[in-house]
Structures are given as C-alpha cells and as structure tokens.
Amino acid sequence: MKKILFSLMILAIYASANTCTEAVFEISKPSLYIPKDKPHIDSVFSSQTLKVSDTLEYAQEIFKKRIYNNGYLEKEIDGYVGDINYEYAETYYYIYSKDESVLSGNGIEILFSDSTSGDTSIWHLKFSYNGSFEQEDYYKVTNSYIANLSYSLDHKPLEYLTEFFFRNDTLVEKNTDNNSHGYEQKTEFTYFVEDPKDDKKCYKYENDSLIDTLVYHPKENGYSIVLSHEKAFREIFMIYPTGTTAIHQRRAPVKISPKARYFDLLGRYKFTK
C-alpha cells in the first residue's frame, strides 16, 4: 500500500464554542470550508517521547499548519522533528473540484466537493498519491451528528466509520473498523464528559478508563483545545480568518509509542504501512 495518510482528515471549526464538549464536537467537523466570520483550525502542536530503557529515550515534535484560500482549504504542511525518523516536512494539496484532470499527478492531492440540504452537509473526498487514487472519504454533518466513512481503494474492503453524537453536553464517539485481514468487525466507543464544576474542562473515557483531559481556552482571536495526560500533550489552535496563531514553544516531552507518527487531532493513530 502506498503511503497515504488515513489521519489526513484534519478537523475544523464551523461555529464558536462555549464549553469543552462543544469545542471537541466542532473540531470533529471536516475542515474544508470556513465562513469568514467563524473560527477555524490554524495549527496543531504535539510533543512526546518514548522511553526505550533507563538510559535511552526518543523524542519527537509534530506540527500541522493549514492554509486556506477564498474560504477553502488549499494545503496542509505537516512537520516532524525528532530522534526516531529524523526530520521531515510534507505538503498535502486540496483542490475543490470533481474534475480529476486538474490533478498534477505529483505528491498527495485531495479532490473534494460538497452538497448541502437544510442543516445537513455532505462532503466527498478522493485522495491521490502520485496520480493513483488510494482513499475515498464521505462526511455527513448536522448540528448534532458527524459521520466519516473512509475506504481504502487499493485494498478493499478496508473501511473505517467514525461517528460523533452530541447530546446534553456529552459527546459520544463511535469507531467501527471493517478491515480486510479476516478479523471480525470491531466497534469501540469513546465518551467526552464535562467536568461538573468547570464546563471549560472535559474528560475522555475509553472502556471506563480516563485517557485524556481536555481544556478549552478562549482567546481574543479564537480559542485552543489542550489534550493532555501522562503520555501525550497536544494543543489545537482555532482562530478567526483575520488572525493567525503561531506554533507555540516546545513543551516538556512525554512518553508514547515509536509507531505513533501520524495522528488525527484527537490523538488517534490512524495509519501504518
């Protein structure tokens, strides 16, 4: 399988948030178009380390920077600095079109298009790696529900379905994995629950275990979401189109798996070669 990132579905803000769970729901929408008066994802920063032994540690920092043109996502630059796989920077090009002939055939290019009916939006994306289509995604977005169905075109029937259900200040994430390796369908649930004493803070649970604490930070030109636990740190910067947020300074490293090179914004590892 050629290298195409299942974690490329980076997320965006379509409306302002007032609580932590609202903010997490908003950043789980596809970041393909931004209204002029709404905040959107500008960049993401994460820092982590792997402790191999008492005397050996690997460190890495990952950043993502998104660039928009006339309201549509145009490119994303992913950068990595660390001890595990040296340094790299790669650009993913997004083209708002259904016409495959507009592709250059070089690098990673994503065609995307949309349709809207009432409060429901549908997005269709096709991922090309050096001219070969290898992934196809569909998004359905409403005021309280998000669905992302992702297909691998070179190894069908590999597919992933991620759904978000927002009810009464609680966000439920459902991940269904239909893979091509002969295993049974796997479904996992994640819950984002607000702190009863502070609605700017929420907790992420998997299998009744707390795995992340998320904090919503309002800012003058937008806001940020910080995800942290003993093994990871990640900050997502959301801004209005009139401003820009620089990647923040380096943070103290934390422990994580050496394979965890590619992440989505909620910290999920999505792709191995």
Side-chain angles (χ1 to χ4, degrees):
M1 184 188 217
K2 298 184 180 74
K3 192 194 312 181
I4 194 81
L5 303 182
F6 283 89
S7 62
L8 207 54
M9 297 289 84
I10 306 304
L11 314 169
I13 300 302
Y14 278 66
S16 298
N18 294 313
T19 69
C20 179
T21 51
E22 286 177 356
V24 175
F25 179 74
E26 293 299 331
I27 68 173
S28 301
K29 297 178 180 180
S31 61
L32 302 169
Y33 174 75
I34 54 169
K36 292 182 179 180
D37 59 344
K38 303 297 182 183
H40 62 278
I41 285 182
D42 173 74
S43 54
V44 182
F45 173 84
S46 63
S47 175
Q48 51 229 339
T49 65
L50 165 71
K51 186 174 183 179
V52 180
S53 67
D54 291 339
T55 59
L56 180 61
E57 288 187 348
Y58 290 121
Q60 65 178 5
E61 295 179 353
I62 299 173
F63 68 86
K64 301 177 186 289
K65 172 66 178 177
R66 303 182 70 81
I67 298 172
Y68 299 82
N69 185 10
N70 292 323
Y72 289 96
L73 179 61
E74 183 177 61
K75 67 178 75 171
E76 176 186 305
I77 302 169
D78 285 16
Y80 167 90
V81 178
D83 302 325
I84 300 174
N85 292 305
Y86 306 104
E87 299 182 7
Y88 82 94
E90 191 148 36
T91 302
Y92 305 94
Y93 295 94
Y94 288 78
I95 302 99
Y96 182 61
S97 176
K98 296 181 180 180
D99 184 3
E100 298 179 7
S101 68
V102 302
L103 298 178
S104 70
N106 298 315
I108 298 176
E109 300 173 292
I110 302 98
L111 285 175
F112 68 98
S113 57
D114 70 302
S115 60
T116 299
S117 178
D119 65 350
T120 301
S121 296
I122 304 293
W123 292 91
H124 177 220
L125 304 92
K126 293 187 72 175
F127 295 74
S128 170
Y129 182 81
N130 289 335
S132 174
F133 285 106
E134 297 194 359
Q135 181 180 333
E136 188 169 17
D137 277 43
Y138 293 89
Y139 274 91
K140 179 179 180 179
V141 180
T142 73
N143 293 329
S144 60
Y145 175 74
I146 304 167
N148 170 214
L149 182 62
S150 181
Y151 292 92
S152 173
L153 298 178
D154 55 350
H155 281 77
K156 282 188 174 181
L158 182 66
E159 65 180 52
Y160 301 90
L161 174 63
T162 300
E163 298 172 280
F164 290 90
F165 306 87
F166 192 36
R167 297 288 187 277
N168 299 324
D169 297 326
T170 296
L171 181 63
V172 178
E173 177 184 353
K174 178 182 178 182
N175 287 288
T176 304
D177 182 357
N178 294 309
N179 61 64
S180 61
H181 304 294
Y183 301 110
E184 294 182 359
Q185 182 186 87
K186 183 179 181 181
T187 300
E188 296 180 335
F189 288 89
T190 302
Y191 301 90
F192 299 86
V193 181
E194 283 187 5
D195 186 313
K197 297 181 180 180
D198 184 359
D199 62 9
K200 299 296 187 293
K201 181 185 293 185
C202 53
Y203 304 102
K204 179 179 179 180
Y205 291 89
E206 285 184 0
N207 300 322
D208 296 324
S209 297
L210 176 64
I211 61 171
D212 272 316
T213 299
L214 301 90
V215 182
Y216 163 54
H217 296 279
K219 298 180 182 295
E220 183 177 351
N221 66 337
Y223 54 92
S224 75
I225 295 291
V226 173
L227 297 84
S228 63
H229 56 70
E230 61 180 353
K231 295 184 179 180
F233 172 89
R234 180 168 293 103
E235 187 164 11
I236 309 161
F237 300 95
M238 279 72 77
I239 65 168
Y240 286 91
T242 54
T244 184
T245 303
I247 298 296
H248 271 201
Q249 69 273 17
R250 295 187 176 188
R251 303 279 181 159
V254 289
K255 304 170 186 177
I256 202 161
S257 165
K259 290 185 177 181
R261 178 175 173 183
Y262 300 116
F263 301 87
D264 67 11
L265 292 185
L266 296 179
R268 296 169 299 187
Y269 176 56
K270 300 293 285 185
F271 176 80
T272 55
K273 187 175 181 180

